[in-house]
Amino acid sequence: MNSIRLVADERPSGVVGAIVPLILPAAQPHYRRRAARLRQLAEGHPMADYLRFAAGIAEAQQQAAQALPLPEALAAGLPARLGGARPPLEAAGLPRERHWRELLQALFEQLRDASPTPAVAQTLAGLRGCDATALEKLADALLAGDYARVGSDRALFLWAALSLYWRQMAARLPAAGRAGVGEGRQFCPVCGSAPVASVIRSGAQSGLRYLHCGLCESRWHMVRTKCSNCEEGGRLDYWSLDSEQAAIRAESCGDCHGYLKVLHEDRDPQLEVIADDLASLALDAEVERQGFSRSGLNPFLFPG
């Protein structure tokens, strides 16, 4: 059980230097910044075409978010989900409203003329032809981690809509995080999903590590001396492709043999967690050659 629980929003304690256990996503979507960063990283990159394709999806998410904000009726029910032992927006058990499928349709419209290959166009056409029941079954399988059943091609677009849906809800939660005694911080306290990467913050939270959720994009605090997967701390190693002071490193654990990227916003303020994680796959390849398995998932990279 995650030792960070969500409670009704509380006023700041006023204690200087107090660690904020949870950072909910901002009310204004940030997909346009992600798209710009992806295009910047694409310049001269071996994965340039895919990074630009991912930028197009991020732009489509921005347009869908602006055209279809979270319905007020859905937002009104969020406070009642607070205070329980489970994450309030737990992906595995939260009944989904049709709003997520409307977001998916909006993405289809934005991407209709932007398909880079016939295969992508075929995938989009196949999803557009699915009825509500079929889409819900695919969403159930995807959120349960049954990627083989969904297929990595369809998972990319379904997750883009589901992530936008969960992010809209997380941004409207009238909640704050309360850190309790104990461990169990491998998964998001808001929706129960795995992190994409960990981020070393700059500014007022300089030096603190937060895990960044791959679904709702909330961030939650975790100390830097423990593995982000198994929470052991005795056998951690750090990998980079250039120097110890690199802005992007991988943290591997000799106990669970997992690893996750660490992005240092304090070293490079231009970092964008999803974009820079995707563009640094050469680091993943090197760490995996050493026998470690990634414990998180980038929403632009599904297995299969």
Side-chain angles (χ1 to χ4, degrees), residues 89-207:
L89 303 180
E90 191 168 32
L94 183 73
R96 294 183 299 273
E97 302 291 339
R98 62 180 295 175
H99 180 62
W100 89 266
R101 299 196 306 274
E102 294 169 349
L103 290 169
L104 181 63
Q105 294 300 322
L107 292 178
F108 291 157
E109 294 302 315
Q110 294 295 325
L111 295 168
R112 184 184 298 275
D113 301 320
S115 301
T117 67
V120 171
Q122 183 177 3
T123 298
L124 288 170
L127 284 172
R128 281 198 298 267
C130 291
D131 61 19
T133 300
L135 288 174
E136 293 295 347
K137 288 181 178 179
L138 287 171
D140 285 341
L142 182 57
L143 293 170
D146 189 354
Y147 306 126
R149 178 180 169 191
V150 179
S152 60
D153 52 351
R154 295 188 296 185
L156 177 64
F157 302 106
L158 291 167
W159 193 274
L162 289 165
S163 179
L164 177 50
Y165 174 69
W166 254 270
R167 187 195 180 283
Q168 286 184 333
M169 289 189 292
R172 295 291 300 273
L173 272 175
R178 177 179 291 167
V181 177
E183 309 291 353
R185 297 197 184 185
Q186 304 98 320
F187 300 107
C188 176
V190 177
C191 69
S193 300
V196 175
S198 62
V199 177
I200 306 300
R201 299 278 288 170
S202 59
Q205 297 155 336
S206 180

Side-chain angles (χ1 to χ4, degrees), residues 33 37 40-41 199-200 219 246-248 262-277:
R33 177 177 178 268
R37 179 61 171 169
Q40 179 187 21
L41 293 167
V199 177
I200 306 300
R219 290 182 174 186
I248 301 175
V262 182
L263 281 70
H264 289 261
E265 291 180 341
D266 54 342
R267 298 176 185 173
D268 184 353
Q270 295 190 74
L271 288 175
E272 200 287 326
V273 61
I274 303 292
D276 281 88
D277 177 69

Side-chain angles (χ1 to χ4, degrees), residues 20 55 64 66 69 83 95 105 118 143 146 153 179 189 194 208-209 259 267 300:
V20 178
Q66 292 174 343
Q105 294 300 322
L143 293 170
D146 189 354
D153 52 351
L208 297 179
R209 177 170 75 165
Y259 80 92
R267 298 176 185 173
F300 289 111

